[in-house]
Amino acid sequence: MKKIITLLLVLATSTSSVFAQQPVEFKLSCSEPYAVYDFITKISDNYPDNELKSIFSNSKYNTEAFKKQIADFEQLPIDYTYAFTQYPSPLKTGLMSRDMLERNLAISQTIADFRNKSLGLIPNEYLSVFSETLENFLPIYRELVFEPNKTAFEVQKNNLQNYIKNNQFSNFFQTGLTFYNTNWDKNIPFELNLLPSLDKGNLGARAFINVAVCEAPLDLKDHVSFFSVAMHEIYHIVYDNQSLQMKENIQKWFNETKSPNSQYALLLMNEVLATALGNGYVIEQINKKADDGEWYANKYVSEMAKAIYPVLKKYIEDKKPMDEAFVKAYVNTYDTQFPQWNNELSHLFSYRYIVADTPNDWTYFRRNFRKYSNNRMGAPVSATEVEKTMAMPITKVVVISQNHEQKLNLLKDYFDVLKNKKLNPKAEFIEIFNLPDNTKLFIINRHKSTVEDMMNKRFPNKLIK
């Protein structure tokens, strides 16, 4: 009996091991419902000029009735969210209802299928309007976009399919799972949704949940770069799906470096690692040489990714997951090679929570710091909003333009660094404080001046001196 039990245990272990080694399945589809949703979004007034907008504007469908449907579609209240509060903030992305809707669009072949999948995500009255608008614009999309470009679209589809057939998506995905120390249920496939782009050079991808939307220009020739961009976005999903224990370890390892730069280095890391893996390692493995150009359209991400790449590459070659030693090397790289970054507003305001007495005071930050990874806004200045900022270990900006003395005293109640600080409520000033979570607090106390005038006067070169 003991021998039989032992044999069963061996077989069970063996079966589990084989199952764990099964590659994640990647599926490629072209979803008309998602393409129509993307089409409506890009021809709206709120979207920058693009080829789709030009085609629609010059078509017979550019009528007041259709334009009203587009405007109404844009105003539908479909954005709901909930946070995973047990995870260290902001190391786990909160779930958005829009992401779930977009996922359902990407994995649905018909609008009816999308509607059935999405019941309960948003109120039914809004889901009905959303779905009906898609149905109204489906024939317009087919006539103006899909049919004239069907042949070129099939070429891009076949090129992307080759990366699936050659297991490159699956193999590089496994590389990410190992490095990030992330478990992925092999029963859950990764869905790739190819989206044709009529704008030349508009190479892009975005990933959410278990979907990657890959947007390829119809004349695309550089398929290696396209593949690396898709993998870059997929690596964000792998990072986000690290276990609670791993996320807690990462936060602890950063804290234990005792570096004053630790939190901003951590905030930068998600994008840095996805870039080092996707735009560094993937490109080098396929092309047999590293990319000599910029790896990302942001100097902080690109330079840090290149700086940490030798360490990351060694971890991948040794099949080692990121650990405390990696975090120490990462923070040390930030401290020694880029110590000036924590004085650059464009870096500090990439991760920001801005609370102002009037929403008009958000405008300066939106206009001058358009590239960001985390952006929260609140108004007016209140205990509720201040408490929200304290829960987020990112740059905090408080703009006071009303009831100055009361609001400054409110801040003193919450921030210990202000307890013994004399702040004149009648004067205009900008004060900066280092907080215990290794982020910065900006207090802008304004009366007649605008935020822009005060910021430009205090930081003419957008540097803290």
Side-chain angles (χ1 to χ4, degrees), residues 254 257-267 330-331 334-336 338-343 347 438 440:
F254 271 86
T257 65
K258 303 301 182 184
S259 166
N261 302 317
S262 62
Q263 188 60 24
Y264 285 108
L266 174 55
L267 291 168
Y330 175 89
V331 174
Y334 186 105
D335 287 344
T336 57
F338 312 109
Q340 75 283 4
W341 282 356
N342 279 16
N343 292 320
H347 180 42
N438 281 337
K440 293 186 186 297

Side-chain angles (χ1 to χ4, degrees), residues 55-69:
I55 291 173
F56 178 78
S57 296
N58 295 324
S59 75
K60 63 184 178 183
Y61 301 106
N62 185 20
T63 66
E64 291 303 316
F66 278 120
K67 286 194 288 186
K68 184 178 186 309
Q69 287 189 54

Side-chain angles (χ1 to χ4, degrees), residues 288-347:
K288 306 305 178 187
K289 65 175 184 177
D291 185 357
D292 294 331
E294 292 300 311
W295 288 2
Y296 194 84
N298 177 297
K299 76 166 187 174
Y300 306 108
V301 174
S302 184
E303 291 179 20
M304 187 64 187
K306 287 189 173 185
I308 198 62
Y309 181 62
V311 179
L312 178 141
K313 184 179 177 183
K314 185 69 167 59
Y315 267 72
I316 293 174
E317 291 172 345
D318 293 342
K319 293 182 169 54
K320 286 178 57 179
M322 61 185 299
D323 54 16
E324 185 174 9
F326 179 85
V327 167
K328 286 181 178 178
Y330 175 89
V331 174
N332 183 63
T333 300
Y334 186 105
D335 287 344
T336 57
Q337 297 191 36
F338 312 109
Q340 75 283 4
W341 282 356
N342 279 16
N343 292 320
E344 298 182 14
L345 298 188
S346 55
H347 180 42

Side-chain angles (χ1 to χ4, degrees), residues 345 360-369 399 428 430 444 446 448-460 462:
L345 298 188
N360 292 336
D361 285 339
W362 300 339
T363 305
Y364 166 80
F365 300 96
R366 285 175 165 168
R367 183 167 53 238
N368 289 275
F369 304 99
V399 185
E428 290 196 323
I430 297 177
I444 303 175
R446 75 171 189 85
K448 295 183 179 180
S449 300
T450 64
V451 170
E452 183 151 14
D453 288 341
M454 292 180 68
M455 290 292 290
N456 288 341
K457 182 178 180 180
R458 177 71 187 274
F459 311 109
K462 292 185 169 60

